[in-house]
Amino acid sequence: MGFRNIIGRRLGLGLVRRRKPFSTATCDGDGNGNAKSINLYSAINQALHIALETDNRAFVFGEDVSFGGVFRCTTGLADRFGKARVFNTPLCEQGIVGFGIGLAAMGNRAIAEIQFADYIYPAFDQIVNEAAKFRYRSGNQFNCGGLTIRAPYGAVGHGGHYHSQSPEAFFCHVPGIKVVIPRSPRQAKGLLLSCIRDPNPVVFFEPKWLYRLAVEEVPEHDYMLPLSEAEVIRQGSDITLVGWGAQLSVMEQACNEAEKDGISCELIDLKTLLPWDKETVEASVRKTGRVLISHEAPVTGGFGAEISASIVERCFLRLEAPVARVCGLDTPFPLVFEPFYMPTKNKILDAIKATVNY
Amino acid sequence: MRFLSESPSVYSQCYRVLDDAGQLISHSNFVPVSEEVAVKMYSNMVTLQTLDTVFYEAQRQGRISFYVTSIGEEAINIASAAALTSDDIVFPQYREPGVLLWRGFTLQEFANQCFGNKADYGKGRQMPIHYGSNKLNYFTVSSTIATQIPHAVGAAYSLKMDKKDACAVTYFGDGGTSEGDFHAAMNFAAVTESPVIFICRNNGWAISTPTSDQFRSDGIAVRGQAYGVRSIRVDGNDALAMYSAVRSARQMAVNEHRPILIEAVTYRVGHHSTSDDSTKYRPADEIEWWRMARDPVTRFRKWIEINGWWGSEAESQLRSSIRSQLLHAIQIAERAEKPPVNDLFTDVYDNIPSNLREQEKLLKETINRHPKDYPADVPI
């Protein structure tokens, strides 16, 4: 079982901001076989290749997927599997998801791409009113479990309002779908394959920031990682931190610095936000007595609020301090002001200290 | 420089086979229908009409909470269903129970869903008339308008990939064509070359909104060309015309891998639903005229009588038999138990997740503490 840290650095607008992908100390538990050092979009690409080669009723479709996609996640698929299985759709998110539901309802694996999570909203009705309720409303006569919707999400340094959003909270409020967010290449491949093969419709948000920058050893074979199981990626005893996706690397940096001040941090990757693994988070909070949640999405009504409420319900007497949330501001995602908007390492570190010293 | 006019120089022709007196219009080509099929079609139209009358009454009596009739649209329902095969996949809106009826859904099964009892395939989760049957290839109705249209395209694409001798068929009203999902689906169907038939029941009304407030195009069929989709306008109250059009459409869809748009012109004789009183927004004599003078059931009856395939004795026998079967089915459905409260929690996902198991446990405790808050006919 090996892991590797790679420092990614990005220069933008004269500011240097380090986003260092963290170690994946425990993941698929299977260290056998060949593993190659690849980035996130390549890992996703591998998962898609495997999905299509292992199931001839799997399809990949969306805007611009044919030539490889704007983030290169679908490279080589059309050449290898043909344009009947890998194809461009018209520019219409409600059509992409509506079509995907119909395809999935006939027993196929419909892997739909939404070009940016910022553009998923036209499909919101199809996701909430149709996909999420398809099985329930039919009394289990029908289902669209074969549907997986992939979308790049999150800050990228220069994305502004419409190339940076983290809309996961909207979807976490919808019984009937699953919401999954990977933190790294190795996680992404295994989780995406699980999502594709899960018999429920899934929304899979990919941290676009990590597409090129996160590089990790990823096994070349077909493997799956479990859904609805959170992972403790760093053990600690003074405070529990909970996050997902790209934000975990920022949180890990904060944990490293806190350690220098003698604060032992436990870091949990939620991985699946809906249905989420309350048991793992609760067990950790019972150990540490403190919890801090961090996400890029605006703080009000963000998924951190759900985690906070649940933990307070379950662990009130154990808590030594209020639940801390270090999140994006309640504004549209700004361009020039992105560094101010973001939940940075230092904001997290300040909150860790405040919580521990409460 | 020439702008394309906003309206065609000639309105879309309307394909018709039978005139209002039930006589064949000369020079009109159509797919012939045998006596057996014609009588089956007519019986189903009468059954649908009677089902609607009896269930509407049942709602008025407070026995079911809600109902939607298809009065005036029996020809669209039954003739289109007759022209399809049982392998064709149907994505309905909510005014097409006749398609289910044709395929063999029983009066008892209709009643069970309307009463939401234990035998309802939908497990009591949805309002009345939200039927569905995987056995009969009829996807479960959802109240949302037009959302089913792109589903039909995806399903049609699947049929094409599997090289099945089958197509997808989806129904919607004039109002539904204003939704984005209609536009999305038409476009996707053309680009993906999918074998799907779009049947628009242009019945003149979307609740209280007449078509003049709905669109300014010459109806629906003209829109086909805008998407690269072959289309036809049909007299929706002419069972033979509907049958022929859907038969031809199916052949083209399956053999040529193309979508077809059918605009069936009709009139919504009933109110939008039991929550509506349409005399508030349209003249009562307009409704009566369509109910009597343009009734598709009467028109088809005249044709089969002319052929010597039907008579008044068969008519009264059929109507009284269906009516008593319906009343019996309602009685049985009404007395049947509701689904257990456990069905509140199943099928949200394929398996019940831990948060729902926890909620079920808490709910059972609450029920024990406050049993009077809960309906007595839902088993715990």
Side-chain angles (χ1 to χ4, degrees), chain A residues 196-215:
Chain A
I196 290 169
R197 293 161 175 166
D198 190 275
N200 298 287
V202 183
V203 181
F204 186 77
F205 287 117
E206 301 165 358
K208 69 173 83 64
W209 177 228
L210 302 183
Y211 273 148
R212 283 177 203 280
L213 286 176
V215 179

Side-chain angles (χ1 to χ4, degrees), chain B residues 189-218:
Chain B
V191 169
T192 58
E193 298 175 7
S194 293
V196 52
I197 306 176
F198 299 104
I199 300 181
C200 175
R201 296 175 293 94
N202 182 353
N203 64 19
W205 297 92
I207 308 188
S208 71
T209 305
T211 51
S212 53
D213 288 345
Q214 195 65 249
F215 44 71
R216 288 301 162 90
S217 53
D218 170 27

Side-chain angles (χ1 to χ4, degrees), chain A residues 111-147:
Chain A
I111 307 164
E113 177 174 305
I114 298 293
Q115 197 155 90
F116 282 86
D118 313 57
Y119 311 141
I120 198 166
Y121 309 109
F124 200 64
D125 182 38
Q126 284 286 344
I127 295 170
V128 172
N129 274 330
E130 304 299 310
K133 299 170 173 54
F134 214 79
R135 184 192 295 275
Y136 191 79
R137 74 188 187 197
S138 74
N140 200 24
Q141 292 188 93
F142 300 104
N143 75 77
C144 61
L147 176 66

Side-chain angles (χ1 to χ4, degrees), chain A residues 57 59 83-85 87-90 92 94-103 105-106 108 125-126 129-130 132 134-142 174-178 198-200 274-276 278-279 314, chain B residues 89 91 121-123 125-126 132-135 138-142 144 146-148 150-151 153-155 157-159 161-162 180-181 183-184 187-188 191-192 194 343-350 353-355 358:
Chain A
R57 304 198 68 186
F59 299 82
K83 62 187 179 118
R85 292 180 67 196
F87 51 94
N88 292 335
T89 62
C92 180
Q94 71 192 99
I96 291 169
V97 175
F99 175 91
I101 289 171
L103 198 55
M106 297 292 284
N108 302 294
D125 182 38
Q126 284 286 344
N129 274 330
E130 304 299 310
F134 214 79
R135 184 192 295 275
Y136 191 79
R137 74 188 187 197
S138 74
N140 200 24
Q141 292 188 93
F142 300 104
V174 186
I177 57 169
K178 295 194 176 181
D198 190 275
N200 298 287
L274 186 74
W276 68 281
K278 291 183 188 162
E279 283 71 31
R314 293 156 93 97
Chain B
I89 316 284
F91 290 83
Y121 302 130
K123 301 181 188 174
R125 291 161 180 162
Q126 290 209 86
S133 167
N134 55 358
K135 203 177 65 168
Y138 187 98
F139 272 80
T140 302
V141 172
S142 67
T144 45
T147 50
Q148 72 281 6
H151 301 172
V153 183
Y157 190 81
S158 177
L159 292 171
M161 290 299 297
D162 288 342
D181 277 340
H183 154 81
N187 199 30
F188 269 67
V191 169
T192 58
S194 293
D343 274 339
L344 167 55
F345 298 99
T346 53
D347 306 329
V348 180
Y349 296 95
D350 64 315
S354 58
N355 60 319
E358 193 181 315

Side-chain angles (χ1 to χ4, degrees), chain A residues 5-6 34 41 52 74 84 93-94 101 109 112 121 125 164 171 182 201 267 276 279 285 291 322 333 352:
Chain A
N5 294 338
I6 299 289
N34 294 329
Y41 76 71
L52 267 61
T74 53
E93 288 76 14
Q94 71 192 99
I101 289 171
R109 302 256 160 243
Y121 309 109
D125 182 38
S164 316
F171 298 92
L267 182 58
W276 68 281
E279 283 71 31
V285 176
V291 61
F333 200 104
I352 290 172

